[in-house]
Amino acid sequence: MINLVVLPIIVPLLIGAILLLVRNNLRLQRIGGLLGAGGSVIVSLFLLQKVYIDGIQVVTLGSWAAPFGISLVSDLLSILLVTTSSLLTLIILWYSMHSLGEKRELSFFYPATLFMLTGINGAFTTGDIFNLFVFFEVFLMASYVLIALGGERIQLRESMKYIIVNIVAAALFVITIGYIYSVAGTLNMADLSVKLGEIGSMGVISTIAIMFLVVFGIKAGIFPLHFWLPGAYYAPPLPILALFGALLTKVGIYSITRVYTLIFTTDVAFTHDILMMLSIVTILLGSIGALAYMDVKKIIIYNIVIAVGVILFGVSAFNTFAVTGSVLYLIHDMLIKALLFLMIGVLILITGKTNLREMGGLIRQYPLLGWTYLVAVFALAGIPPLSGFAGKILIIQGGLEGGFVWQSIIVAMSTMVVLLSAIRIFIYAFWGTEKSFDGPPKKTYTNYMAPVMVLFVLTVSYGVFIEFLTPFFIEAGLQLMDPSFYVNAVLGGDR
């Protein structure tokens, strides 16, 4: 029997490979895409229940036991992210069927998306640093196809920048892996936690920790490594932008969280303080970008940068409250960014514009879109009882508990920046003087709005019913703050 841990990786991989053989059959492409993502959702939900009830699940591939075999590990952080990624991919694929256009759909869109999901789920699940690199390359290669899908000039320009940045990051990743292997003699994350803990604080280990922060910081979009993100995310069509905005930076955030709570914990005063400093600057620069632009896509893109800083601030504070809040806020950010980008897609469908100054008065003809967007903005900003509130309040509480007072104040004040930047879209586009637009047919609008409303209900429910989900996040935070849970699950015994 195939272990459940493997299935969220295998299901989209196999169906994506099959879709390559029927690339000219649009109906089969659509059905296969939905089946791949939907199958991943189903097995992820079963695995989530099993991890919560029975504890961390581990499978070691081949005939070698850990740390010599290749381990796949599903703890609560991992499976929460896998489940959310699979669910968002399913909803965005549904949205894409009506918004992307048949030509782009038949240009390997569905297999590339499933391969990207394979790499993302694998990165969240692997228990081995080298295989983290492998899964990074899997989802990056798929993202190279997606970012250039359609071949418009801006896409080709930004895709070249995106590819070059990631090639450099991949080379640095391999070099860093070599360094850590030379020090510890292993690449298994649980074994690294044990061996580096025995070695203790050393300058070379702290240097390797910073090198990993650079590698993963490029993926996450942390300052000063976020320079590629606004242009690269702006270029592709909205469904692909929604995939990138909701999922890709989160793999970088996850990787930083994993290594900075499991492996590099012996020199926290150095490594985590640097992470905190960069997180705060990331929040500030993201805030400037979000307020500076009047382009609807760029406003939300720079809000991605703000969220990266907020989440990693919680990780750098390195206590149970802050880390638990970061996990909760990470899931919230995946949901809300996907929702907002899909809503922006509907807005562009109606107006044909991205500049707020060219919009106005849409609330009269499109009240459902307008009022749901306003609620989504409140959730983005963390207005209670919506989904952003609980995570951010825990992060701030953890920051204050750790003595990071002025840093916590900046995190709290970022709420006002987020609210101000995103609510401008509501004020300019939906309020004010009504302007004339050749709006879409009612059926087209309905087809766009159906997946948006499903995701809207899920996002709002995540905040309103957070009390019922809290045990999952508390347990995830405890597992992150006590590496022995992870180490014992992978290596066995009392370590």
Side-chain angles (χ1 to χ4, degrees), residues 256-277:
I256 294 171
T257 302
R258 179 64 74 193
V259 299
Y260 270 58
T261 56
L262 179 65
I263 299 173
F264 301 113
T265 58
T266 57
D267 193 10
V268 173
F270 176 69
T271 56
H272 290 56
D273 280 1
I274 289 180
L275 177 59
M276 178 172 291
M277 177 187 68

Side-chain angles (χ1 to χ4, degrees), residues 52-102:
Y52 182 67
I53 295 173
D54 298 335
I56 297 172
Q57 300 296 300
V58 181
V59 58
T60 302
L61 306 179
S63 57
W64 295 91
F68 306 106
I70 297 172
S71 298
L72 297 175
V73 186
S74 190
D75 63 353
L76 272 172
L77 172 62
S78 166
I79 189 55
L80 284 168
L81 291 172
V82 166
T83 304
T84 307
S85 298
S86 302
L87 180 60
L88 290 176
T89 301
L90 176 63
I91 293 173
I92 293 170
L93 285 177
W94 176 17
Y95 182 91
S96 302
M97 290 165 52
H98 305 289
S99 62
L100 194 61
E102 292 186 7

Side-chain angles (χ1 to χ4, degrees), residues 441-470:
K442 185 176 180 181
K443 183 179 180 181
T444 303
Y445 174 72
T446 302
N447 288 337
Y448 271 64
M449 285 299 295
V452 169
M453 291 309 300
V454 170
L455 184 52
F456 174 78
V457 171
L458 287 172
T459 305
V460 171
S461 299
Y462 178 70
V464 173
F465 300 108
I466 193 65
E467 182 179 352
F468 299 100
L469 300 173
T470 299

Side-chain angles (χ1 to χ4, degrees), residues 185-491:
T186 182
L187 294 176
N188 181 283
M189 292 185 191
D191 203 30
L192 282 169
S193 178
V194 173
K195 290 186 175 178
L196 295 187
E198 292 172 351
I199 293 172
S201 178
M202 284 180 59
V204 65
I205 295 176
S206 298
T207 301
I208 293 170
I210 299 304
M211 291 178 70
F212 272 116
L213 178 58
V214 172
V215 171
F216 298 141
I218 292 173
K219 315 295 185 184
I222 193 171
F223 171 85
L225 307 168
H226 70 295
F227 61 90
W228 61 270
L229 190 151
Y233 280 19
Y234 188 88
L238 256 300
I240 297 171
L241 170 54
L243 279 171
F244 285 12
L247 304 183
L248 289 194
T249 55
K250 309 310 182 289
V251 184
I253 293 172
Y254 163 81
S255 301
I256 294 171
T257 302
R258 179 64 74 193
V259 299
Y260 270 58
T261 56
L262 179 65
I263 299 173
F264 301 113
T265 58
T266 57
D267 193 10
V268 173
F270 176 69
T271 56
H272 290 56
D273 280 1
I274 289 180
L275 177 59
M276 178 172 291
M277 177 187 68
L278 296 178
S279 300
I280 294 299
V281 179
T282 301
I283 293 172
L284 295 174
L285 290 184
S287 299
I288 293 171
L291 293 174
Y293 288 98
M294 295 294 286
D295 186 291
V296 290
K297 291 164 67 175
K298 287 188 176 179
I299 290 171
I300 306 301
I301 287 170
Y302 275 99
N303 271 281
I304 294 175
V305 178
I306 297 173
V308 169
V310 171
I311 296 165
L312 291 179
F313 169 77
V315 175
S316 66
F318 202 56
N319 57 57
T320 303
F321 280 121
V323 170
T324 302
S326 288
V327 177
L328 205 158
Y329 197 83
L330 178 57
I331 303 296
H332 148 78
D333 194 62
M334 295 170 74
L335 293 169
I336 196 64
K337 290 303 189 305
L339 175 61
L340 286 170
F341 282 124
L342 296 189
M343 286 183 164
I344 293 301
V346 181
L347 187 61
I348 295 173
L349 169 74
I350 294 168
T351 63
K353 311 289 184 182
T354 61
N355 192 319
L356 285 176
R357 295 186 179 92
E358 299 175 352
M359 303 179 189
L362 294 177
I363 197 72
R364 295 168 181 81
Q365 295 186 46
Y366 302 97
L368 178 63
L369 176 63
W371 295 118
T372 52
Y373 174 80
L374 184 61
V375 174
V377 169
F378 290 155
L380 176 70
I383 305 299
L386 298 169
S387 58
F389 175 72
K392 186 169 284 188
I393 205 71
L394 281 174
I395 290 171
I396 294 170
Q397 182 178 353
L400 293 173
E401 185 181 85
F404 308 111
V405 177
W406 67 265
Q407 297 95 327
S408 300
I409 292 173
I410 289 176
V411 173
M413 291 179 64
S414 71
T415 298
M416 299 306 298
V417 176
V418 169
L419 180 62
L420 178 60
S421 66
I423 209 167
R424 285 186 303 156
I425 298 176
F426 179 79
I427 294 171
Y428 276 84
F430 293 98
W431 223 244
T433 304
E434 187 173 0
K435 296 183 180 179
S436 177
F437 298 107
D438 296 326
K442 185 176 180 181
K443 183 179 180 181
T444 303
Y445 174 72
T446 302
N447 288 337
Y448 271 64
M449 285 299 295
V452 169
M453 291 309 300
V454 170
L455 184 52
F456 174 78
V457 171
L458 287 172
T459 305
V460 171
S461 299
Y462 178 70
V464 173
F465 300 108
I466 193 65
E467 182 179 352
F468 299 100
L469 300 173
T470 299
F472 291 90
F473 294 102
I474 291 175
E475 186 65 24
L478 291 173
Q479 288 178 1
L480 286 171
M481 289 304 298
D482 186 353
S484 65
F485 286 107
Y486 191 99
V487 171
N488 291 335
V490 177
L491 301 180

